[in-house]
Amino acid sequence: QNQKTREQIENLLQNGEHKELRDRLCCRLTFGTAGLRSAMGAGFCYINDLTVIQSTQGIYKYLERNFSDFKQRGFVVGYDTRGQVTSNCSSKKLAKLTAAVLLAKDVLVYFFSTYVPTPFVPYAVQQLGAVAGVMITASHNRKEDNGYKVYWENGAQITSPHDKEIIKCIEECVEPWNGSWNENLVDTSPLRQDPLKKICDSYMEDLTKICYHRELNVQSSLKFVHTSFHGVGHDYVQLAFKAFGFQPPIPVPEQKDPDPDFSTVKCPNPEEGESVLELSLRLAEKEDAKVVVATDPDADRLAVAEQQENGCWKVFTGNELAALFGWWMFSCWKENCSQDADVRNVYMLATTVSSKILRAIALKEGFHFEETLPGFKWIGSRVKNLLDNGKEVLFAFEESIGFMCGTSVLDKDGVSAAVVIAEMATYLQSQSLTLAQKLVDIYEMYGYHISKTSYFLCYDPPTIKRIFERLRNFDDPQSYPKCCGVYNILHVRDITTGYDSSQLNKKSVLPVSKSSQMITFTFQNGCVATLRTSGTEPKIKYYAEMCALPGHSDRSVLEEELQKLIEALIENFLEPAKNGLTWRSA
């Protein structure tokens, strides 16, 4: 019933664009590391009114099977501020259609009356006792994209087998039901409730559980600049700073309000570093603010930059921020825990492609460290499991600037991370230290962890498959490479097939993930490098890290060795020229 997307298909048909039609209509959306995500537009593998209705009908069918009290407990729906005029598609409209499908089936729906950060949806699912929730967002993806992120009753993103079962249910009911197109139901149905005030108030109150130096915050002279990257973050970060006793951060005026075109940045991903933080860094210099915090468009991730003594800015990587957060959350726990608290009951987590710095801190301090598959959906589920077994989880992260401080939200959360980093910077200033100086202290104490992450773009799935299949049949059929240039390989782990040469039974401890490509190489020189496909974008990512023991740390030597190894990895394993790959900076 969407005139714009109908016209897109009709025009393709009239112009005889049969390949494009096949690409759009002959495959369905599947669940990646962050739910369903694709470009907005016409077709069954795109995000549009129809595919969102179909997805919600499938979810309704699956939840009805699994929960006898589904209709009474209800379902949470949130959305960001994305939109596309050419396909008459916006996050709010798609959220209204999501709600309509459920309201027409007499389900109680908690529909936020305005845009919210992604973490508000999993938080609301737990707070309201709902069976599940959906957030309409494509996070930091390009402006053409949108997505559909599903949370289970435990407040974590869905993992297998739920995702596969939901896909089956979607395929069983692709014809829209009566009422599914009625987006006005959110304004007229008595079963629709607006959870905004209750959830926002409760979230800000819960946030104070991880505020440890309120009196310092109130007196602090340190200034912060915040950019919300044309997304949802502004209002909520302002409230979070207030909850911690801070003066509000200075907003970047050009990026403060929602803009679906993200008109001041070439891509709305704060992870891209200084090039996309230009406006906030210049404002910080003008305002004499030493720290910049940047939330991505749906405010679930956080980038941080700090001005150094020489006037230059240091933009921290996700792994560097995790070292700071890990040190901070453990120090605060140690200072505030009860006398009989057992450090062996304490946990921190990271995804397997992230830095091993938390492992080093855990080994020295006596708490537990665990790894999961890439994607916060795995962290959220595991954290819930640990909490249910009486464990205490302080912090979890993924290297792509996703952080979970505390356990009020079982997903990454840029709002809480922003205010925790502000408190950390304030405390360090009282000790005459900067974030960058503290980071060096942490590495000196626990061992240097030098890592580098980047990616190549590849829009041809068969090429990606060929690259990874070559690695699985390198010198002979079914044999992995034994070296990469001059670097000898000690172990290989292939999450796609479940192989791990370091295990006695040659089977990976982490679960197999056949739907994505991921191979990890452990080198004789101590470097660990992973090649994997992105779950949300057409990318081949690489991650590499050199880990040194405390006291064995000549940083420049480690950095040089890592750089040479990465060059060998790219040249020998990815072969960008031969495979037509585009490097990230190009």
Side-chain angles (χ1 to χ4, degrees):
Q1 292 184 22
N2 180 331
Q3 216 46 50
K4 293 271 174 86
T5 47
R6 259 186 101 101
E7 279 167 16
Q8 286 174 20
I9 296 294
E10 283 163 358
N11 290 341
L12 289 168
L13 194 57
Q14 278 165 9
N15 298 335
E17 308 245 11
H18 295 156
K19 185 192 178 302
E20 175 77 3
L21 279 169
R22 268 197 299 275
D23 289 347
R24 284 177 179 247
L25 297 171
C26 293
C27 64
R28 278 203 175 281
L29 292 168
T30 55
F31 283 96
T33 49
L36 306 171
R37 204 177 276 187
S38 186
M40 290 179 271
F44 297 122
C45 59
Y46 279 59
I47 295 279
N48 54 55
D49 299 18
L50 180 61
T51 53
V52 162
I53 286 171
Q54 290 174 332
S55 302
T56 311
Q57 289 181 173
I59 284 173
Y60 170 82
K61 200 162 184 181
Y62 186 61
L63 292 174
E64 194 185 33
R65 256 182 228 166
N66 280 278
F67 297 97
S68 57
D69 54 355
F70 168 31
K71 292 184 177 182
Q72 294 75 42
R73 284 175 61 190
F75 190 97
V76 177
V77 180
Y79 50 93
D80 68 10
T81 53
R82 285 176 175 263
Q84 187 180 65
V85 176
T86 52
S87 54
N88 185 20
C89 204
S90 72
S91 294
K92 185 166 190 176
K93 184 188 181 192
L94 298 174
K96 283 182 164 189
L97 290 167
T98 302
V101 171
L102 300 166
L103 290 167
K105 289 286 185 186
D106 300 323
V107 177
L108 169 64
V109 174
Y110 297 101
F111 181 90
F112 284 99
S113 53
T114 187
Y115 53 81
V116 289
T118 290
F120 272 39
V121 171
Y123 180 76
V125 168
Q126 283 199 293
Q127 287 293 308
L128 302 167
V131 294
V134 158
M135 176 72 185
I136 307 288
T137 180
S139 190
H140 56 280
N141 275 39
R142 58 194 194 130
K143 67 179 181 185
E144 290 82 6
D145 291 354
N146 216 326
Y148 186 95
K149 211 168 187 178
V150 185
Y151 294 90
W152 199 241
E153 65 167 342
N154 61 2
Q157 281 181 62
I158 57 164
T159 53
S160 202
H162 298 312
D163 51 2
K164 291 176 181 62
E165 293 300 319
I166 289 170
I167 292 288
K168 275 190 214 161
C169 289
I170 291 169
E171 284 164 359
E172 287 167 19
C173 39
V174 290
E175 181 95 13
W177 302 329
N178 285 341
S180 287
W181 284 103
N182 185 1
E183 61 183 271
N184 297 325
L185 270 179
V186 293
D187 303 316
T188 57
S189 171
L191 287 169
R192 180 265 172 141
Q193 288 187 20
D194 176 13
L196 183 67
K197 187 177 183 328
K198 180 180 177 176
I199 291 303
C200 195
D201 291 351
S202 174
Y203 173 92
M204 295 303 162
E205 194 179 320
D206 270 349
L207 202 51
T208 59
K209 289 177 189 167
I210 49 172
C211 174
Y212 297 102
H213 297 278
R214 194 185 168 83
E215 60 298 329
L216 271 181
N217 303 344
V218 171
Q219 297 158 14
S220 174
S221 60
L222 202 57
K223 283 184 181 174
F224 300 91
V225 159
H226 170 239
T227 171
S228 45
F229 266 70
H230 299 294
V232 306
H234 172 74
D235 295 342
Y236 303 100
V237 170
Q238 295 271 316
L239 287 170
F241 269 68
K242 189 178 166 190
F244 265 52
F246 284 111
Q247 289 298 307
I250 303 157
V252 177
E254 303 93 324
Q255 297 175 334
K256 169 173 92 72
D257 299 318
D259 168 14
D261 288 324
F262 305 113
S263 46
T264 66
V265 286
K266 73 175 195 301
C267 78
N269 185 355
E271 206 184 344
E272 294 291 333
E274 206 158 332
S275 62
V276 289
L277 294 171
E278 183 69 28
L279 284 173
S280 41
L281 301 182
R282 298 300 78 83
L283 176 66
E285 285 164 0
K286 195 176 123 199
E287 296 282 354
D288 197 27
K290 296 295 179 208
V291 178
V292 168
V293 289
T295 46
D296 69 341
D298 68 328
D300 68 346
R301 305 190 320 149
L302 179 80
V304 179
E306 180 185 56
Q307 194 172 30
Q308 305 305 291
E309 298 240 311
N310 62 4
C312 294
W313 287 88
K314 174 174 175 59
V315 181
F316 295 90
T317 67
N319 286 331
E320 289 173 333
L321 287 172
L324 287 162
F325 278 123
W327 157 75
W328 177 255
M329 296 304 286
F330 183 71
S331 303
C332 293
W333 177 83
K334 213 158 67 169
E335 276 173 39
N336 294 280
C337 67
S338 60
Q339 289 231 300
D340 57 350
D342 186 352
V343 73
R344 290 169 303 181
N345 206 40
V346 169
Y347 282 73
M348 290 194 195
L349 292 88
T351 59
T352 187
V353 292
S354 303
S355 171
K356 311 292 181 230
I357 185 64
L358 295 185
R359 184 180 66 188
I361 300 174
L363 280 169
K364 194 156 181 169
E365 301 294 350
F367 62 87
H368 288 276
F369 168 70
E370 282 193 10
E371 280 190 336
T372 71
L373 286 175
F376 238 89
K377 63 182 185 180
W378 300 105
I379 286 181
S381 297
R382 180 62 186 143
V383 169
K384 183 71 173 90
N385 188 261
L386 287 167
L387 295 174
D388 289 346
N389 284 291
K391 307 298 181 192
E392 197 169 354
V393 180
L394 303 182
F395 173 66
F397 87 102
E398 60 183 2
E399 55 70 41
S400 51
I401 61 173
F403 310 105
M404 185 193 94
C405 300
T407 52
S408 291
V409 176
L410 299 185
D411 201 4
K412 53 184 181 278
D413 182 354
V415 178
S416 58
V419 74
V420 169
I421 211 87
E423 181 169 79
M424 192 193 306
T426 301
Y427 169 81
L428 289 171
Q429 188 200 34
S430 75
Q431 309 288 304
S432 306
L433 284 169
T434 63
L435 293 166
Q437 287 165 341
K438 186 67 211 178
L439 182 65
V440 172
D441 285 355
I442 293 166
Y443 285 146
E444 294 285 346
M445 180 177 282
Y446 300 108
Y448 272 91
H449 286 61
I450 310 294
S451 56
K452 194 165 168 57
T453 301
S454 195
Y455 59 81
F456 287 88
L457 291 163
C458 181
Y459 295 95
D460 182 46
T463 299
I464 293 177
K465 196 165 193 299
R466 195 171 63 244
I467 289 168
F468 282 89
E469 282 308 316
R470 175 175 165 262
L471 294 173
R472 294 185 181 107
N473 305 277
F474 202 71
D475 295 320
D476 305 296
Q478 295 189 314
S479 80
Y480 293 86
K482 294 175 181 62
C483 60
C484 178
V486 298
Y487 298 99
N488 288 333
I489 292 168
L490 203 57
H491 294 300
V492 178
R493 183 186 65 192
D494 187 341
I495 291 291
T496 313
T497 63
Y499 171 78
D500 186 344
S501 68
S502 73
Q503 298 297 316
L504 278 173
N505 64 0
K506 306 297 178 202
K507 287 187 176 168
S508 163
V509 177
L510 286 174
V512 178
S513 182
K514 287 188 182 130
S515 58
S516 58
Q517 302 280 359
M518 179 167 144
I519 302 178
T520 300
F521 302 95
T522 303
F523 291 88
Q524 218 151 14
N525 66 358
C527 179
V528 179
T530 297
L531 299 175
R532 72 178 272 257
T533 48
S534 166
T536 55
E537 293 162 289
K539 292 174 178 177
I540 299 176
K541 294 184 168 186
Y542 65 83
Y543 310 78
E545 182 171 51
M546 295 289 289
C547 307
L549 293 167
H552 294 250
S553 305
D554 183 337
R555 187 175 180 138
S556 56
V557 172
L558 290 173
E559 281 174 344
E560 196 180 322
E561 180 88 340
L562 183 67
Q563 191 50 43
K564 283 184 190 161
L565 194 141
I566 287 170
E567 284 164 12
L569 194 73
I570 291 168
E571 188 185 322
N572 293 285
F573 290 176
L574 293 178
E575 304 178 301
K578 180 180 157 188
N579 290 310
L581 308 179
T582 313
W583 198 57
R584 126 186 221 173
S585 62

